[in-house]
Structure formats: structure tokens, C-alpha cells
Amino acid sequence: MDQVASGQAVGSQPPTAQAAGEHNGLAERVAAVQAARTQLGRDLDRLSVEARAQMGSTMEKIAWKVAGLGSAILAGIAMRKALTSGWEKVRHEEPPMNPANPGTSWGEAVAWTMALGAGVGVARMLASRAAAAGWQKATGALPPGLEDRQA
């Protein structure tokens, strides 16, 4: 019969890992390695699920910040334009560009600052609440970072 360099007959099958392990006393080690591989696979699967959940949470937070901030900025810009237009119609002049300028009267500076501050503040709050309500309607949950607090 022809022999190959390893000493095994041509056409014969190499011994299985289990048979080799039993033959040289490594059966317990082979089983332990296989069990460790199986456990490692389970751990990696769980880690992958946890990482995807964390990534989803991070993306959700970023999306909410963009939506909330974007709506507030747009509302502030729109309110400033509306207040400027209203001031011009009532006063027949432009509002003070810089209320801190000494050339602006105290009454005019205070009136414009109060109107602008209150108007833009309320507009931003309304826009943020509307964005949160839209988020809740779309996702079924409050936006990240907002808690449902009831008195």
C-alpha cells in the first residue's frame, strides 16, 4: 500500500478531533474549548444587540435635539419678523436695532426689549411643545430627555 509522508495510508480518513482528543487525553480540553466558543458567540450576540440599542438611543437623542432646536429657532425668527412688522405699523418707524445704544430713548429700548424677549420666548416654547407633541404622535413616546411630570 502506498504511504504518504505523514505515514497515513492513501485514501484513509484522518481521525476526528474528538477521536484524536480521546486518543491522546485531550477530550476534556476540546470540550471546554468548544463550550467557550459557544459562550463567546452568545456573548458577542448579546453585546451586538446592546450596542445597536445604544446606537439607536444616541441617534434618537440627536434627532430630537435637531428637531427641537430647529423648530425653536424658526419660531424665534418668525416672531422677530412679526414683532418688527407690528412695531413698524404701530409706531411708523423701525424698531431700535440696538436698544443699548445711548441714542435710543429709554422707553423705546425697554418696550422693544420686553416685546422681543417675551414674544420670542413664548414662540420658542410653543414651537418646542408642538415639536414634542409631533414626536410623541409619531413615535408613541415622549422625546428623549423630556419626562412626563404631572403635579
Side-chain angles (χ1 to χ4, degrees):
M1 196 185 229
D2 289 280
Q3 298 284 327
V4 276
S6 67
Q8 185 178 8
V10 175
S12 68
Q13 298 294 322
T16 64
Q18 186 176 3
E22 288 173 0
H23 178 68
N24 59 14
L26 296 176
E28 289 179 12
R29 289 186 180 176
V30 169
V33 168
Q34 288 173 342
R37 284 182 180 166
T38 302
Q39 184 62 41
L40 180 60
R42 281 191 223 116
D43 291 347
L44 288 173
D45 288 343
R46 188 176 70 235
L47 182 61
S48 177
V49 168
E50 291 171 1
R52 282 193 302 263
Q54 182 65 33
M55 180 64 84
S57 175
T58 301
M59 294 302 291
E60 189 176 77
K61 288 177 185 177
I62 291 170
W64 167 244
K65 285 183 181 184
V66 168
L69 184 61
S71 66
I73 289 172
L74 291 175
I77 291 169
M79 179 55 78
R80 183 180 181 98
K81 287 185 179 202
L83 288 171
T84 300
S85 176
W87 182 278
E88 289 172 351
K89 286 182 182 177
V90 170
R91 306 275 312 215
H92 304 294
E93 61 184 22
E94 290 185 10
M97 294 308 280
N98 184 359
N101 185 335
T104 303
S105 72
W106 275 100
E108 194 173 72
V110 169
W112 176 246
T113 302
M114 287 176 54
L116 192 61
V120 170
V122 169
R124 290 179 58 189
M125 182 269 306
L126 290 173
S128 294
R129 288 179 64 108
W135 181 280
Q136 188 172 17
K137 185 176 180 181
T139 65
L142 286 172
L146 293 185
E147 296 175 359
D148 189 17
R149 294 187 183 184
Q150 307 229 346

